[in-house]
């Protein structure tokens, strides 16, 4: 078959473009992925007990982008799910982000009420106050609250997640850790929060089901595409368009260096118990535990968890990314140096008038799935929009 488009990667970036190009613009599309599954990092499966498990870490859909929310409704039924996270803070489980309930659970009643009154009066209800700002506030108790959150919620979690020592942690990052002056214990406040009833993989199957789409798994782009002065597909010049959603440094044989990422090891455990913990995710911002969080999937992926006597949990261990160990690049480490390197790769890519980049790896951005889908919809409009 002659393809109008070749898309590398069957994650949300690649699948969204394939779906739009095939169904709206009637283009012939080849989607290739080196994995043996579709869905990229969103891939999930139902285990023998009927629990949907996310192979590459917990994925919650949340967005304020109405167009993305509406778009996804075309590919299956979604149920409302609002994520809640608890943190093991000083041996107590408290809501994360740290909020008014967390304060009540962490301090004696008198001090907690005092802190809550000051926060409400000074900042107002439902405001998120960065702890750097609280540190500057001329009240000893509030300063101590900021220090408590920094030490017990932020410091070790960040060190584990990003592999940094306290000195290497940029103070501006601390700025992002808030106290939430609210009793709202939802992890996200986005307008749309939901999960696919049959799991993400089924959503991808629907997105890719057109006769205009050919999906080829277990296929590395490197084995069928040669990118030299021009783009060659299976030995012949390819004059259609190529959309690449994999790591941009890999595409150009790491000629400008290896872009830094953080990777993760996942440790799954099946338990003969109905529930292991009260919410889907419990964070461990502790020095002693080497993992950052434990996710119990049935809370977030299925609606009939009460009827299943077994459960699956997963611990996440962040680690340095080493391409030679076949680690998966999960989190781009965005800093001045990596951005400089990324721009060199971008310049190489821009020399081709039929090569396009989209997605977390190709754009080297810490995008959530909604932003990846939005980027893909924008690229579709650029390529084929009326
Ligand atoms: C642990 C974790 C938790 C997350 N949780 C959330 C969340 O709760 N909510 C949220 O919105 N977002 C979350 N995200 C982000 C979300 O995973 C991404 O935004 C989304 O999956 C990115 O889609 P993508 O298509 O850009 O990339 P990917 O899903 O990574 O897809 C890229 C695909 O390209 C393929 N590929 C790469 N190179 C080649 C090659 N040379 N040849 C062939 N195929 C190739 C890969 O195999 C892969 O399938 C999370 C990310 C991580 C790491």
């Amino acid at each position: 078959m002659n393809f109008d488009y070749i898309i590398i990667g069957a994650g949300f970036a690649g699948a969204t473009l394939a779906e739009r190009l095939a169904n709206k613009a009637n283009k012939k599309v080849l989607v290739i992925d080196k994995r043996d599954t579709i869905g990229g990092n969103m891939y999930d499966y139902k285990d023998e007990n009927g629990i949907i498990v996310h192979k590459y870490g917990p994925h919650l859909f949340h967005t304020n982008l109405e167009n993305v929310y509406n778009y996804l409704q075309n590919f299956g039924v979604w149920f409302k799910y609002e994520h809640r996270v608890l943190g093991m803070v000083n041996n107590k489980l408290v809501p994360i982000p740290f909020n008014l309930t967390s304060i009540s659970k962490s301090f004696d009643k008198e001090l907690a009420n005092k802190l809550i009154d000051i926060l409400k009066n000074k900042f107002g209800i439902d405001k998120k106050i960065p702890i750097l700002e609280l540190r500057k506030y001329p009240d000893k108790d509030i300063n101590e609250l900021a220090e408590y959150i920094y030490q017990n919620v932020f410091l070790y979690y960040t060190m584990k997640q990003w592999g940094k020592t306290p000195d290497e942690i940029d103070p501006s990052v601390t700025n992002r850790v808030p106290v939430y002056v609210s009793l709202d214990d939802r992890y996200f406040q986005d307008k749309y929060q939901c999960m696919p009833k049959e799991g993400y993989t089924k959503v991808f199957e629907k997105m890719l089901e057109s006769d205009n789409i050919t999906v080829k798994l277990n296929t590395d782009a490197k084995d069928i595409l040669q990118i030299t002065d021009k783009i060659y597909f299976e030995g012949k010049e390819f004059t259609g368009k190529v959309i690449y959603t994999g790591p941009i440094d890999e595409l150009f044989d790491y000629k400008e260096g290896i872009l830094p990422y953080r990777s993760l090891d996942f440790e799954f455990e099946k338990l003969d118990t109905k529930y292991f913990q009260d919410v889907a995710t419990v964070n461990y911002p502790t020095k002693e535990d080497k993992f950052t969080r434990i996710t119990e999937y049935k809370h977030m992926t299925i609606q009939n968890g009460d009827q299943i006597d077994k459960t699956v949990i997963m611990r996440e261990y962040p680690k340095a990314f080493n391409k030679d160990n076949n680690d998966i690049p999960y989190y781009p480490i965005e800093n001045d140096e990596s951005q400089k390197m990324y721009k060199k790769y971008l310049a190489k890519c821009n020399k081709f008038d039929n090569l396009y980049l989209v997605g977390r790896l190709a754009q080297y951005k810490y995008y959530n799935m909604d932003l990846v889908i939005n980027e893909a919809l924008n690229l579709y409009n650029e390529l084929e929009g009326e």
Side-chain angles (χ1 to χ4, degrees):
M1 194 191 282
N2 279 334
F3 296 107
D4 301 305
Y5 282 86
I6 298 176
I7 298 180
I8 294 120
F12 258 134
T16 303
L17 271 149
E19 186 283 322
R20 288 290 74 191
L21 289 164
N23 295 331
K24 196 152 186 239
N26 196 25
K27 299 291 177 192
K28 300 267 178 260
V29 185
L30 172 66
V31 179
I32 65 170
D33 203 298
K34 59 182 170 189
R35 294 185 185 167
D36 58 2
T37 54
I38 55 171
N41 286 343
M42 311 298 306
Y43 172 76
D44 57 16
Y45 59 91
K46 210 174 239 186
D47 77 358
E48 67 281 9
N49 300 309
I51 300 169
I52 295 174
V53 177
H54 295 179
K55 182 170 176 185
Y56 302 100
H59 280 86
L60 300 316
F61 181 75
H62 58 97
T63 190
N64 286 317
L65 297 172
E66 192 170 0
N67 64 319
V68 172
Y69 171 78
N70 286 340
Y71 174 70
L72 285 178
Q73 300 313 302
N74 296 316
F75 312 106
V77 176
W78 295 67
F79 66 90
K80 183 171 169 170
Y81 169 76
E82 292 177 320
H83 193 51
R84 284 173 171 78
V85 174
L86 295 174
M88 185 60 85
V89 176
N90 251 343
N91 294 321
K92 285 186 196 123
L93 284 173
V94 302
I96 300 289
F98 210 84
N99 66 9
L100 298 184
T101 308
S102 318
I103 292 177
S104 299
K105 290 195 168 184
S106 301
F107 304 107
D108 70 57
K109 202 169 170 191
E110 197 183 330
L111 177 57
N113 287 342
K114 186 176 170 196
L115 291 169
I116 289 171
D117 281 346
I118 300 175
L119 290 171
K120 276 187 182 166
N121 292 334
K122 166 75 185 155
F123 301 102
I125 199 80
D126 287 341
K127 292 277 166 6
K128 286 186 179 158
I129 322 299
I131 62 169
L132 266 191
E133 202 178 310
L134 287 186
R135 276 173 152 178
K136 289 185 207 141
Y137 190 67
D139 180 291
K140 189 171 150 288
D141 291 329
I142 291 286
N143 284 191
E144 281 175 11
L145 171 68
E147 188 57 25
Y148 180 88
I149 296 170
Y150 176 79
Q151 288 293 338
N152 293 293
V153 180
F154 171 75
L155 183 60
Y156 291 108
Y157 195 91
T158 307
M159 285 169 66
K160 288 191 274 191
Q161 180 78 355
W162 294 103
K164 286 184 186 293
T165 62
D167 297 347
E168 289 167 333
I169 296 172
D170 189 322
S172 70
V173 181
T174 325
N175 206 16
R176 289 185 221 137
V177 187
V179 172
Y180 190 22
V181 189
S182 179
L183 292 171
D184 180 354
D185 61 355
R186 294 171 307 157
Y187 196 65
F188 307 110
Q189 275 70 44
D190 299 54
K191 184 167 176 197
Y192 302 105
Q193 305 191 37
C194 51
M195 292 294 283
K197 192 161 180 249
E198 300 299 328
Y200 288 105
T201 304
K202 292 280 179 218
V203 169
F204 280 86
E205 282 172 8
K206 287 210 171 71
M207 291 176 85
L208 296 170
E209 79 188 348
S210 161
D211 287 344
N212 277 344
I213 300 177
T214 305
V215 178
K216 224 169 165 299
L217 298 177
N218 298 307
T219 305
D220 194 313
K222 289 276 167 205
D223 296 336
I224 56 170
L225 283 178
Q226 287 74 48
I227 300 192
T228 52
D229 54 328
K230 292 187 179 132
I231 299 178
Y232 297 88
F233 171 50
E234 292 178 333
K236 285 194 207 125
E237 185 183 344
F238 182 67
T239 51
K241 291 177 175 144
V242 173
I243 295 168
Y244 183 77
T245 77
I248 188 171
D249 50 355
E250 185 185 310
L251 182 69
F252 292 106
D253 298 319
Y254 305 100
K255 288 222 172 77
E256 302 296 340
I258 300 170
L259 283 168
Y261 282 95
R262 287 296 279 170
S263 190
L264 291 166
D265 278 334
F266 299 122
E267 182 187 85
F268 291 87
E269 199 179 339
K270 290 183 185 181
L271 300 169
D272 279 327
T273 177
K274 200 170 252 194
Y275 284 106
F276 172 78
Q277 58 194 30
D278 289 341
V279 291
T281 299
V282 175
N283 283 1
Y284 286 80
T286 42
K287 191 176 178 185
E288 301 71 35
D289 301 298
K290 297 293 169 237
F291 50 87
T292 46
R293 55 182 181 170
I294 298 180
T295 295
E296 184 171 21
Y297 280 106
K298 74 191 324 200
H299 286 289
M300 56 185 262
T301 59
I302 53 169
Q303 294 170 287
N304 62 339
D306 283 347
Q307 291 154 32
I308 301 175
D309 287 333
K310 317 242 174 196
T311 194
V312 180
I313 60 167
M314 193 264 292
R315 293 180 179 82
E316 271 171 73
Y317 296 85
K319 62 175 187 180
F321 164 72
N322 180 347
K323 76 176 177 60
D324 297 328
N325 291 345
N326 284 328
D327 290 337
I328 298 180
Y330 283 117
Y331 300 110
I333 301 178
E334 293 177 57
N335 54 34
D336 290 348
E337 213 178 310
S338 64
Q339 282 309 313
K340 245 187 233 163
M341 195 187 286
Y342 177 74
K343 282 192 181 127
K344 288 186 188 164
Y345 282 117
L346 200 54
K348 280 182 182 293
C349 171
N350 287 340
K351 289 192 180 139
F352 299 87
D353 57 11
N354 59 343
L355 177 61
Y356 301 85
L357 304 173
V358 66
R360 206 181 226 218
L361 301 164
Q363 293 181 274
Y364 197 65
K365 282 219 167 84
Y366 197 132
Y367 277 147
N368 273 336
M369 65 182 113
D370 61 330
L371 295 183
V372 166
I373 295 167
N374 198 44
E375 287 290 307
L377 293 173
N378 287 341
L379 178 57
Y380 169 76
N381 282 336
E382 201 184 298
L383 293 166
E384 299 289 340
E386 298 87 44

